Amino acid sequence: MNARPVPGLYPIDTGTAELQRDGDSSDGWLLKINGVQSSHVVLSDPLRLDFEYMRWIVALVEEHFPPETTDRLRALHQGGGGCSMPRYLAARYPHARQVVVELDGQLAEYVRNWFDLPKAPLMRLRVGEAREVTESLTPGTRDLIVRDVFSGSRTPYPLTTVEFTRASARLLDGRGLFVANIGSAPDQVTAREEAASIAEVFPYVAVVADPAMLKGRRYGNIILAGSDSPLEGSAALRRRLLGGGVPAQFWDDAEARSWIGRATPRHDPA
């Protein structure tokens, strides 16, 4: 039986989770992991995403898989947190089958109880390390992979390499979409390296971020998408991205690769 969320600090396997009420919504909650904002959930409205980068991701997903014509969506989430994205996709694609990989078993248990997640088989919350789980899954069984894993402000190195990206790509079918949330410092060195790893694997890549991020003016999120199918960015997608609270730009494959430049792809240690 689900327990109602209660504000407070909670011990988890990797440190501490903090649950705070959202003052703008009677049933909204902010989840922090070790002091860092991780997820925002509105229990009565799974389609509300307060984190701008998540809105950018779903804009890319809905461009690639229009909900009005997609009767199924097989998704793998590398990183769970409060499951804001899986809850959104479950509401937008009612027949979606999703697997959410979360490293922290105690956090996963809290989230199951707090946030009214869809039941299996529509959504499975699997405790494990994202790379190990990804490498254990059957090839060609996913339409969408969302990589959103952080330890502090960075994605763990083993999840940013060419080898890991290939293991992820192996799971996608011919039109599958891989989307990664990259935390970038203003110098963009590590962001370009992560992007170079993804561009090494996929023939088509795209970048979404706000202009200040793309110009290297602040720390924040850059979204990198990869696919075996073209990622052209329709006029409707570009308008949607520009119309948010933090307007974002879409860069197609040529623009994305120009931004990546001569950055060296990351590889597993020899």
Side-chain angles (χ1 to χ4, degrees):
M1 181 177 180
N2 288 357
R4 291 182 60 83
V6 176
L9 290 171
Y10 296 84
I12 57 175
D13 297 337
T14 56
T16 303
E18 182 178 2
L19 198 58
Q20 297 179 346
R21 289 189 182 276
D22 172 12
D24 295 331
S25 175
S26 61
D27 61 351
W29 296 92
L30 177 65
L31 176 66
K32 292 184 176 181
I33 305 298
N34 297 320
V36 178
Q37 291 188 2
S38 169
S39 304
H40 180 273
V41 170
V42 178
L43 292 175
S44 63
D45 186 5
L47 294 177
R48 175 176 161 182
L49 297 173
D50 274 26
F51 289 0
E52 199 70 43
Y53 84 87
M54 289 192 177
R55 294 203 286 266
W56 299 343
I57 290 175
V58 299
L60 287 171
V61 172
E62 291 178 17
E63 165 89 350
H64 206 71
F65 303 106
E68 60 272 15
T69 60
T70 303
D71 61 359
R72 66 168 187 166
L73 188 70
R74 303 166 297 169
L76 172 67
H77 300 266
Q78 296 163 335
C83 290
S84 306
M85 181 71 61
R87 291 179 81 247
Y88 179 98
L89 294 180
R92 202 72 174 96
Y93 302 86
H95 301 293
R97 299 296 176 101
Q98 303 185 75
V99 173
V100 183
V101 183
E102 172 54 53
L103 177 65
D104 193 302
Q106 182 59 69
L107 175 63
E109 189 62 27
Y110 285 139
V111 169
R112 280 191 185 102
N113 289 329
W114 289 336
F115 295 146
D116 191 27
L117 303 183
K119 300 295 189 284
L122 293 178
M123 185 187 298
R124 300 181 186 274
L125 189 52
R126 180 166 173 179
V127 175
E129 192 274 324
R131 180 156 183 168
E132 291 180 0
V133 173
T134 297
E135 292 175 344
S136 74
L137 297 175
T138 303
T141 57
R142 300 294 185 272
D143 304 301
L144 170 67
I145 297 175
V146 178
R147 193 202 80 185
D148 191 10
V149 183
F150 284 84
S151 177
S153 62
R154 298 292 184 194
T155 299
Y157 186 94
L159 305 183
T160 66
T161 66
V162 170
E163 290 76 16
F164 172 74
T165 308
R166 283 186 180 137
S168 299
R170 175 182 63 89
L171 302 182
L172 295 171
D173 68 9
R175 196 171 175 272
L177 180 68
F178 177 83
V179 184
N181 177 26
I182 298 174
S184 177
D187 63 19
Q188 299 184 345
V189 172
T190 58
R192 285 189 170 98
E193 290 175 352
E194 290 187 48
S197 300
I198 296 169
E200 181 87 357
V201 174
F202 291 101
Y204 300 98
V205 293
V207 170
V208 174
D210 69 89
M213 276 301 309
L214 295 172
K215 292 176 182 177
R217 294 178 178 170
R218 66 177 181 85
Y219 178 89
N221 301 96
I222 294 176
I223 304 304
L224 204 294
S227 181
D228 289 340
S229 299
L231 301 169
E232 297 172 347
S234 67
L237 172 63
R238 294 171 190 266
R239 286 194 301 271
R240 179 176 179 178
L241 292 171
L242 288 171
V246 179
Q249 294 179 339
F250 175 92
W251 282 356
D252 63 17
D253 187 76
E255 294 169 306
R257 292 182 188 274
S258 176
W259 170 72
I260 292 167
R262 296 184 178 180
T264 303
R266 294 181 169 192
H267 286 276
D268 291 348

